[in-house]
Amino acid sequence: MGERRVGVEWLHVVVHVVLTVRAGIGLLLVVIDGRQADPGAVMSSVAALTMMTLYLGRPERWERAARSLVMPTLDSLLAVVILLSFGTGGWALGYVAATVFLWALIDRPGPWLVALAGPFTVYLVLSLADLLLGQVTEALAAGARMVVLGLAVVAAARTRGLLGTYRDMEVTLRAERLRAAQAEERTRLSVEMHDSVAKSLHGIHLMSSHLAMRLERDGHPAHDQVAVLRESIDQARQEARRLVAERRTLPQDDRSDRLAALVSAWAREHPDLTVRVDLSPFAVGPGAGHELVSAVEEVLENVARHAQARTVQVLAAESEGWVRVVVRDDGAGMTSTAPDFWVHRGHYGIDGVVRRMTRVHGRAEILSRPGEGTEVVLELPAHLDETAQQPQTAGEPT
């Protein structure tokens, strides 16, 4: 499922900046201090620095390098060579601090500890040697440079924390924008439904009521069928009114209570079925709850109408930032689980379930064989993010 990313990964931007600064410091080392250093060491340092900068320039390589610890080790050794060749202060200290800062941006202790080990050992040895020789001033200078390296680690941790805070703020802002867009769309749909579908159903209901009254007065045998038609139209009219009212408001984050209420009501309406429910607490993003509950409602109605089942299980749980709902029955099963197969035959339930999950960046998987029952698995992010990666497959059997 993976981590959901926002539009710009600012941590990678900082890495590029640090790599550029470090390369610039390396250039200054060569120009300013290179004439006093060994030519072989200068050329080797320049070549190694160039290759590392080019290699680490891609974010995925930088993250992969931090996982293996090979590149932090090589960087640590290069820092030692630079300190021994160009001196331990000035631009060399700046280069080493930038290197430690670079690897401390990774939220793991291993990379920066390895990168810090080499130059810190050099400064520690120099400090101890100066103390033994009685050169207190030089020993204090070496100690101060070790403090600078420690401050580089602290600064990197602080930078990482600030970037994480900014990332959370960016996700929150995107969610609020999404909520505003949903509110506008829901209001528009409610107006359209009220002005078209709801009014049409109301007119049809009135006509069917008058027709039923006339047929009943005349004793016509079709009176019973028209009465059933009138009740069906009235039910559709009430459902349209409910949908109009629902879309006038935008719900907050939806929780498992709404799904539990749906399953409980459905179980009471179908006392001939054994319904087993195991719903762990979960919450989904704004607007996603309606799609999830509607999808489960469609699945349960298909079970009641077509499955000929005796037992139905409804399971739900949240794990690693994803909500997973499973509806399983022991009914007749299906000959095909492909949405297009049923759409061409005039049945739109499965296609509707798949489309609802796709709208909230989730997926629907239908597993069924004739005579072996059906299992429908619905998965969606616990926190809706419009930049989340769309699933590659949905609704196809595995």
Side-chain angles (χ1 to χ4, degrees):
M1 295 176 182
E3 179 188 5
R4 297 187 300 278
R5 293 181 179 269
V6 294
V8 176
E9 184 53 84
W10 291 106
L11 183 61
H12 294 158
V13 175
V14 174
V15 170
H16 279 293
V17 172
V18 175
L19 285 171
T20 303
V21 170
R22 196 177 70 157
I25 293 175
L27 179 61
L28 290 173
L29 275 173
V30 173
V31 173
I32 297 175
D33 300 329
R35 288 170 292 183
Q36 300 171 352
D38 179 76
V42 172
M43 295 302 298
S44 300
S45 300
V46 170
L49 177 59
T50 302
M51 288 188 295
M52 285 187 175
T53 302
L54 292 176
Y55 179 80
L56 296 175
R58 298 182 62 180
E60 62 272 14
R61 289 179 178 173
W62 172 69
E63 293 178 340
R64 185 167 62 247
R67 288 195 296 269
S68 67
L69 297 183
V70 174
M71 290 301 292
T73 301
L74 294 177
D75 236 348
S76 182
L77 294 176
L78 178 58
V80 171
V81 172
I82 287 177
L83 289 176
L84 296 179
S85 301
F86 297 93
T88 58
W91 294 110
L93 176 61
Y95 172 86
V96 172
T99 299
V100 174
F101 182 90
L102 173 67
W103 295 110
L105 287 172
I106 290 286
D107 193 16
R108 291 174 53 234
W112 68 262
L113 283 174
V114 171
L116 179 65
F120 191 86
T121 301
V122 172
Y123 286 123
L124 181 61
V125 170
L126 291 176
S127 179
L128 293 176
D130 290 333
L131 284 176
L132 291 176
L133 295 175
Q135 299 175 349
V136 179
T137 303
E138 288 77 2
L140 291 177
R145 288 160 185 166
M146 286 189 287
V147 173
V148 171
L149 297 185
L151 291 176
V153 175
V154 174
R158 180 60 177 167
T159 301
R160 191 172 61 243
L162 290 174
L163 291 175
T165 301
Y166 177 81
R167 181 190 182 94
D168 294 339
M169 292 173 60
E170 189 176 16
V171 171
T172 301
L173 179 60
R174 288 173 179 269
E176 290 302 320
R177 288 175 177 171
L178 179 62
R179 288 175 62 84
Q182 285 179 331
E184 182 179 354
E185 180 66 12
R186 290 167 70 93
T187 301
R188 186 187 66 80
L189 287 175
S190 70
V191 172
E192 294 292 337
M193 290 181 63
H194 178 270
D195 293 345
S196 58
V197 178
K199 286 186 176 180
S200 298
L201 287 175
H202 182 68
I204 296 173
H205 177 259
L206 290 177
M207 288 187 290
S208 64
S209 297
H210 288 304
L211 179 60
M213 292 173 59
R214 292 189 60 179
L215 292 177
E216 183 180 15
R217 186 175 60 247
D218 297 341
H220 197 282
H223 166 262
D224 293 336
Q225 288 84 352
V226 174
V228 173
L229 174 62
R230 180 187 60 187
E231 292 177 0
S232 299
I233 295 173
D234 184 61
Q235 182 179 359
R237 183 171 64 93
Q238 295 296 332
E239 179 67 16
R241 290 172 61 87
R242 182 182 67 83
L243 290 174
V244 168
E246 281 186 356
R247 279 160 176 74
R248 285 287 181 172
T249 59
L250 183 66
Q252 302 294 322
D253 289 3
D254 291 295
R255 301 187 179 275
S256 52
D257 297 345
R258 191 175 175 188
L259 179 61
L262 166 70
V263 176
S264 177
W266 187 85
R268 289 194 299 270
E269 295 173 0
H270 301 84
D272 54 323
L273 293 174
T274 300
V275 182
R276 298 171 181 169
V277 183
D278 183 7
L279 303 181
S280 300
F282 66 83
V284 294
H290 174 78
E291 300 292 354
L292 175 62
V293 172
S294 298
V296 174
E297 184 176 17
E298 178 64 35
V299 172
L300 291 175
E301 287 305 313
N302 280 342
V303 172
R305 275 184 256 160
H306 308 298
Q308 303 175 10
R310 297 183 301 275
T311 302
V312 180
Q313 291 179 293
V314 182
L315 315 173
E318 179 179 345
S319 177
E320 298 181 355
W322 285 75
V323 173
R324 176 184 172 94
V325 178
V326 179
V327 181
R328 185 183 299 123
D329 68 71
D330 60 354
M334 295 188 292
T335 56
S336 174
T337 60
D340 290 344
F341 176 86
W342 295 106
V343 168
H344 293 157
R345 287 158 178 77
H347 300 284
Y348 303 96
I350 292 179
D351 183 67
V353 169
V354 172
R355 290 179 182 275
R356 286 185 184 279
M357 289 296 97
T358 302
R359 279 198 292 269
V360 292
H361 307 284
R363 62 188 297 268
E365 184 178 22
I366 299 94
L367 306 174
S368 183
R369 290 182 180 179
E372 298 183 9
T374 301
E375 178 177 290
V376 179
V377 181
L378 308 177
E379 293 179 316
L380 73 160
H383 300 287
L384 185 61
D385 176 7
E386 76 269 29
T387 63
Q389 184 177 1
Q390 291 286 352
Q392 295 181 351
T393 59
E396 294 297 330
T398 56

